[in-house]
Amino acid sequence: MDLLRHLRHFVVVARELHFGRAAETLGMAQPPLSQSIQRLERELGVTLFDRSQRQVGLTTAGQLLLGEADELLAGERRLRHLADRVRRGALGVLRAGVPPETPAVTLRALLDALAARAPGLALDLHELTSAEQHRMLADGRLDVGLLHHPVDGAGLRFGEPVDVPVGVLLPRASPLARPREIALADLAGMDLVTAPPVTAPGWHEHLLTVCRQHGFAPARVRPARNPEFLFGLLLAGGAVAVEPAALARREPRVAWRPITGTPLVRRISAAWPIRAAHPAAPMFGHLATETLAAPDEPGGPALLAPAARPWPVLFEAGRDEKLAR
């Protein structure tokens, strides 16, 4: 027996005290409504309506049960509303990962957007490399992350990717910093400072491949896990890095110059498991795309979604499209 459905019928009849009007309010025929009330009376073992007079009236049992029925139905509405919020990802805890180099202004914008969209959602945020996020997504310790491409997409669903322009970081006093842009071939003989390959293997391999294709075979590839160490290696001389412009703003003695022809961009997208996905993961991915695709500051370089970018991206044909889906 669908007790709540029969209780809803009972409450409407009790309010109208007329089976015809109640049936019209409920959008149903009168005979099924009468049968529903009779079945409820049999289930509860009491008579709810006095049908002995021309006008329908509530019995003592009906009067006493009406308040309880109202409370039960209000509780059902609250329960359904709560379940709907959980289903939409507006409640609960979302375990999310972001790359360590995420600019503060970008992270703040993402957190503000998430708080505005789902104020009841608790965010358990972790600073993790792409490789760490990939492992934690695979074994269920993370609900959603922001990954650098190329990346193995097995078992993952990806949000809309965003392409971040990268350029050359080098000492501001270096003669190479004088032009407004730098060709990769002009860096021949220099060391390349970049994150260790274990942090984002796909990006590391792609970066070295494109550098070599454009005439820059680094004398040495020197790993740097944090910006301060990277800046130290650059300022010591003989080394450059290929990074987004936002990183250069942390160190006034370092300059950022775009690369001629823009052969490199850093592609980022949200990713979450296909199986048992957290309800809030797609929302996080959508907000991350909007945040990353916005200009990082007035006058700064815009971060554009792939469909709008004016530069080529040298990813393997087909593989990248598969990752974006």
Side-chain angles (χ1 to χ4, degrees):
M1 174 180 174
D2 187 348
L3 178 62
L4 291 175
R5 181 170 65 88
H6 293 301
L7 285 176
R8 281 193 291 271
H9 294 169
F10 162 65
V11 168
V12 175
V13 176
R15 297 282 184 258
E16 296 287 347
L17 293 178
H18 190 283
F19 276 85
R21 289 196 299 269
E24 184 177 347
T25 299
L26 290 165
M28 61 188 299
Q30 183 173 334
L33 176 59
S34 298
Q35 294 169 9
S36 175
I37 298 300
Q38 292 167 6
R39 185 170 182 184
L40 179 62
E41 290 176 324
R42 288 197 301 271
E43 179 71 20
L44 299 178
V46 294
T47 300
L48 300 172
F49 293 100
D50 181 1
R51 303 170 177 84
S52 61
Q53 305 297 324
R54 294 184 62 182
Q55 185 175 358
V56 176
L58 281 169
T59 64
T60 300
Q63 294 173 359
L64 293 173
L65 291 177
L66 180 58
E68 294 293 332
D70 279 334
E71 289 188 19
L72 278 173
L73 293 174
E76 182 208 20
R77 289 191 293 270
R78 290 193 297 269
L79 181 64
R80 290 184 180 277
H81 178 65
L82 179 65
D84 180 65
R85 295 180 68 191
V86 172
R87 185 171 58 252
R88 291 185 289 106
L91 288 178
V93 177
L94 179 68
R95 301 168 299 173
V98 296
E101 71 277 5
T102 304
V105 64
T106 301
L107 183 59
R108 174 63 184 273
L110 176 57
L111 295 180
D112 286 348
L114 192 64
R117 183 70 62 85
L121 182 68
L123 185 65
D124 183 13
L125 193 63
H126 300 268
E127 182 187 44
L128 300 165
T129 67
S130 283
E132 290 169 335
Q133 292 183 58
H134 193 274
R135 288 195 297 271
M136 292 177 69
L137 287 167
D139 61 23
R141 289 181 293 150
L142 202 66
D143 299 313
V144 64
L146 294 179
L147 302 183
H148 292 147
H149 291 255
V151 64
D152 179 10
L156 295 177
R157 191 178 304 280
F158 290 90
E160 181 70 17
V162 173
D163 288 341
V164 181
V166 295
V168 179
L169 288 182
L170 69 173
R172 193 171 293 278
S174 170
L176 287 173
R178 292 172 187 167
R180 297 180 64 88
E181 62 180 30
I182 299 174
L184 285 174
D186 295 338
L187 305 177
M190 305 286 285
D191 291 349
L192 176 65
V193 182
T194 188
V198 68
T199 62
W203 166 252
H204 188 273
E205 178 185 349
H206 177 68
L207 170 63
L208 294 182
T209 298
V210 174
C211 284
R212 294 188 183 105
Q213 288 174 346
H214 287 78
F216 174 36
R220 287 187 298 171
V221 178
R222 306 177 68 177
R225 287 183 176 271
N226 65 75
E228 292 303 319
F229 187 67
L230 180 146
F231 293 144
L233 293 178
L234 295 184
L235 294 173
V240 297
V242 176
E243 298 288 343
L247 188 60
R249 288 191 285 274
R250 303 187 189 183
E251 172 53 68
R253 293 170 294 176
V254 168
W256 184 88
R257 296 290 181 266
I259 301 172
T260 303
T262 318
L264 274 167
V265 293
R266 179 173 288 177
R267 174 162 290 183
I268 305 173
S269 71
W272 57 92
I274 294 175
R275 292 182 178 274
H278 192 289
M283 175 180 62
F284 181 93
H286 176 71
L287 294 176
T289 295
E290 288 185 342
T291 303
L292 291 170
D296 56 354
E297 67 176 32
L303 314 182
L304 303 178
R309 65 176 183 267
W311 49 81
V313 184
L314 300 182
F315 288 101
E316 293 178 19
R319 177 185 179 187
D320 189 51
E321 294 179 0
K322 179 180 179 182
L323 292 176
R325 290 197 291 268

